[in-house]
Amino acid sequence: MALGSLSSCTLESSGNGDLDGYWHLESIDTLATGKTGDYSNRRFFWGIEHRLISVSDIDREGRLGYYFRFEQTGDSLFLGKAYKNNWHQDNGEDGGDIPVDDVEPLRYYGVNELEEHFAKEALSGSRMILRSKTLRLKFKKF
């Protein structure tokens, strides 16, 4: 009977492989100038699970931040529309997730377009490097 009950359960898998996880943004390189911004002592995180990326600066805004739906291929990551994370839908006028239509607050996290494309330069169980047209973001899995 135990075997029968186990065989009827299905576990949902995202298929994201090493991409899923909680990633600490360590640095941002500006490709045009070669300059690097050191984020290793700051608490910038990208949380990636299933088809959702949550970005936040814990020191600046706690657990709030932004999130994106995304698609990926073997060598690319495509971020779709961004939303400001306002948590619950039932908090009155300011509650719920608000679509972002200005890229400016997203630049803080290394995202320079409302629909951003990143090449995966490296991805393993512990490190990730993403490159857009203008930036290279280096992460360490937390």
Side-chain angles (χ1 to χ4, degrees), residues 53-106:
I53 296 177
S54 170
V55 298
S56 61
D57 174 359
I58 304 299
D59 294 322
R60 182 174 172 198
E61 55 203 12
R63 295 287 176 199
L64 298 178
Y66 298 87
Y67 72 88
F68 304 84
R69 295 283 182 202
F70 74 92
E71 297 290 329
Q72 72 164 327
T73 64
D75 63 355
S76 295
L77 181 67
F78 301 94
L79 273 59
K81 185 142 181 68
Y83 294 85
K84 180 155 180 51
N85 186 353
N86 273 3
W87 288 90
H88 301 290
Q89 297 286 344
D90 57 356
N91 287 342
E93 289 182 28
D94 295 325
D97 301 318
I98 301 169
V100 174
D101 56 10
D102 177 14
V103 74
E104 202 56 41
L106 304 177

Side-chain angles (χ1 to χ4, degrees), residues 29-33 110 112-113 116 131-136:
D29 301 337
T30 303
L31 299 177
T33 64
N112 287 315
E113 297 184 22
E116 184 79 90
R131 180 181 38 81
S132 69
K133 288 187 252 181
T134 57
L135 301 174
R136 179 175 290 112

Side-chain angles (χ1 to χ4, degrees), residues 23-44:
W23 294 93
H24 180 236
L25 180 59
E26 299 277 304
S27 65
I28 298 179
D29 301 337
T30 303
L31 299 177
T33 64
K35 292 187 178 183
T36 298
D38 181 9
Y39 287 73
S40 61
N41 291 322
R42 298 172 76 180
R43 297 190 308 167
F44 275 64

